[in-house]
Amino acid sequence: MHRRDFVLGALGAGLASTGSMSLLSPAGMSANAAAAANAVPYGAAIRVDNLESDPDYAAAVRAYCQQVVGEGGLKWFDLRPDRSVFNFDQPDRLIAFADANGMTMRGHTLVWYAALPEWTKEITASEAEFELTHHIEVVVGRYRGRIPNWDVVNEPISEDPAKEGALRDSIWLQALGKGYIELAFRTAAATDPGAQLVLNDFNFEKTTEVCRQRRVAMLDLLKELSDRDVPIHALGLQGHLTGEAEIDKEGLSRFVEEVNGLGLDIYVTELDVIDNNLPAAQGVRDQISALRVRDYLTAICDVVEPKAILTWGISDKYTWVPIWFKRRDGLLNRPLPLDENFQPKAMMQVLQEFTRAGS
Ligand code: 9MR
């Protein structure tokens, strides 16, 4: 049998058991009631400008999400145009939207190798500790008690640990060594002792040797942090899945089990399916993407119920994927659970199964 037939067959069988696909909210149940029934909160990364300019987008977010996270806004290059400036405009608008709609907001992200403004190149090794801790104190301090969980450190593991060493190069690693991670978590915990502090990263789920090495590197890091009693509460699995790549269900389940064994919770923080190499036919493409999401969430939820499941965007109308992974045939990317007209795709039904039922 051709591999694609198998993939679609397996997916078809899975979807058939859950009935027809229409809206997330079952007939007769309001979106809010459906949200309240969720065992695991569902959320999405949000572009706050579009919430205000596109009423259909805002309506979709209201209908489906119990959590939001800014796709940008809290990143250094948005927040820190200058060394002495903090511009909280975007996160303030997003948290106002979240509060008004009974949603919680995640904070993304305090320390990352990327999305840094030019001026950060001037930070000297002796200034780095102050710049890092000051940034965390100001940002977490502003939202203390209001943003209940933070991606404190984002993507600390290198692309390919076997070749590059375990930790990803960054201004923080260069100036402060690997201790920058511990420093960031301790500072965040001291600033808001009630916040859930998350380490967030991607690419643990494929059957490749690189993914296996990345799981090993992440586990080593988490064990070290745990041995040192660093206040870290969860691992965020981003879940930017590659459409043509099978999920290593066994490898991912065992990884989640080991992480959970360290006393850490699991969040799924940035789920989407990079579909530039999938077939053009919309139905086929959407089914393969839904299958990847199903396999990914199955591998995780078989072991532990995630604290939340968030996709990186909600509609194909607004997604980062074409920035890096535009399709050669010129068709739009379809990485997210709603299409560009905010209609639910097979992926939304899969998300619904995992958020409604829990694990
Ligand atoms: O989707 C985000 C895009 O709009 C930003 O320009 C980019 C740089 O800040 O970051 C994208 O989001 C990334 C996230 O912050 C971390 N994991 C990978 C995401 C996709 O690149």
Side-chain angles (χ1 to χ4, degrees):
M1 186 167 46
H2 192 279
R3 189 172 139 252
R4 186 172 305 147
D5 295 337
F6 172 74
V7 164
L8 294 177
L11 178 68
L15 287 179
S17 66
T18 59
S20 69
M21 238 202 58
S22 56
L23 280 173
L24 179 71
S25 314
M29 202 179 193
S30 75
N32 283 346
N38 271 2
V40 177
Y42 167 70
I46 302 298
R47 297 184 183 177
V48 74
D49 287 344
N50 298 341
L51 270 186
E52 288 149 23
S53 64
D54 184 342
D56 292 340
Y57 174 60
V61 174
R62 282 197 192 91
Y64 290 101
C65 293
Q66 298 87 59
Q67 287 200 6
V68 289
V69 59
E71 189 174 342
L74 282 168
K75 292 171 180 172
W76 281 58
F77 70 3
D78 296 317
L79 201 61
R80 307 291 309 278
D82 209 296
R83 198 163 183 150
S84 58
V85 174
F86 288 81
N87 176 3
F88 289 108
D89 174 58
Q90 285 193 54
D92 279 0
R93 281 150 64 208
L94 186 56
I95 204 165
F97 173 87
D99 287 349
N101 290 284
M103 301 170 190
T104 53
M105 176 166 157
R106 304 198 65 242
H108 175 85
T109 177
L110 297 167
V111 183
W112 192 18
Y113 76 93
L116 294 170
E118 275 299 300
W119 66 262
T120 55
K121 290 190 181 141
E122 295 158 16
I123 297 175
T124 62
S126 61
E127 293 166 342
E129 179 168 341
F130 170 78
E131 288 295 348
L132 185 97
T133 54
H134 177 61
H135 179 89
I136 294 171
E137 283 162 3
V138 172
V139 178
V140 175
R142 181 180 183 90
Y143 299 110
R144 182 172 26 232
R146 298 180 66 209
I147 292 187
N149 62 66
W150 283 96
D151 290 333
V152 177
V153 177
N154 195 39
E155 302 174 1
I157 301 299
S158 70
E159 290 289 322
D160 185 348
K163 289 200 187 119
E164 300 159 29
L167 295 184
R168 190 187 285 273
D169 196 19
S170 70
I171 61 168
W172 310 117
L173 185 71
Q174 296 219 355
L176 300 167
K178 66 180 180 178
Y180 85 89
I181 299 173
E182 176 167 348
L183 179 67
F185 277 92
R186 290 200 187 282
T187 307
T191 310
D192 186 351
Q196 265 252 320
L197 305 181
V198 182
L199 193 148
N200 194 44
D201 214 326
F202 66 101
N203 203 20
F204 300 111
E205 64 277 348
K206 299 188 191 77
T207 56
T208 59
E209 179 59 15
V210 165
C211 274
R212 199 187 66 76
Q213 295 280 356
R214 286 180 52 85
R215 294 195 294 261
V216 170
M218 178 56 87
L219 272 171
D220 286 348
L221 172 61
L222 295 175
K223 279 180 195 148
E224 192 179 333
L225 295 174
S226 156
D227 285 348
R228 296 175 62 79
D229 286 327
V230 173
I232 168 173
H233 307 116
L235 176 65
L237 298 171
Q238 292 186 2
H240 293 292
L241 309 182
T242 299
E244 69 275 23
E246 303 254 353
I247 304 295
D248 180 354
K249 285 166 86 175
E250 181 61 22
L252 182 57
S253 286
R254 296 291 73 78
F255 175 62
V256 167
E257 192 171 59
E258 287 207 58
V259 172
N260 196 229
L262 295 171
L264 298 176
D265 289 331
I266 298 290
Y267 284 76
V268 176
T269 51
E270 304 186 15
L271 193 53
D272 57 14
V273 180
I274 298 168
D275 65 336
N276 58 320
N277 293 325
L278 289 183
Q282 208 165 284
V284 176
R285 205 169 1 138
D286 289 353
Q287 288 210 328
I288 295 172
S289 295
L291 174 63
R292 298 296 177 230
V293 169
R294 177 192 291 284
D295 283 353
Y296 184 72
L297 293 178
T298 301
I300 295 167
C301 297
D302 273 356
V303 179
V304 58
E305 183 174 276
K307 291 289 169 199
I309 298 175
L310 292 94
T311 47
W312 202 242
I314 191 166
S315 154
D316 297 334
K317 190 170 180 183
Y318 304 119
T319 162
W320 70 283
V321 169
I323 302 172
W324 296 102
F325 302 102
K326 214 182 263 302
R327 289 180 62 89
R328 261 179 257 136
D329 56 16
L331 293 173
L332 288 182
N333 293 95
R334 298 175 63 82
L336 288 165
L338 303 181
D339 72 11
E340 72 277 23
N341 299 311
F342 303 102
Q343 295 306 303
K345 302 187 298 182
M347 189 189 299
M348 184 53 99
Q349 173 142 0
V350 172
L351 286 163
Q352 180 181 23
E353 287 168 37
F354 283 90
T355 52
R356 285 263 170 78
S359 55

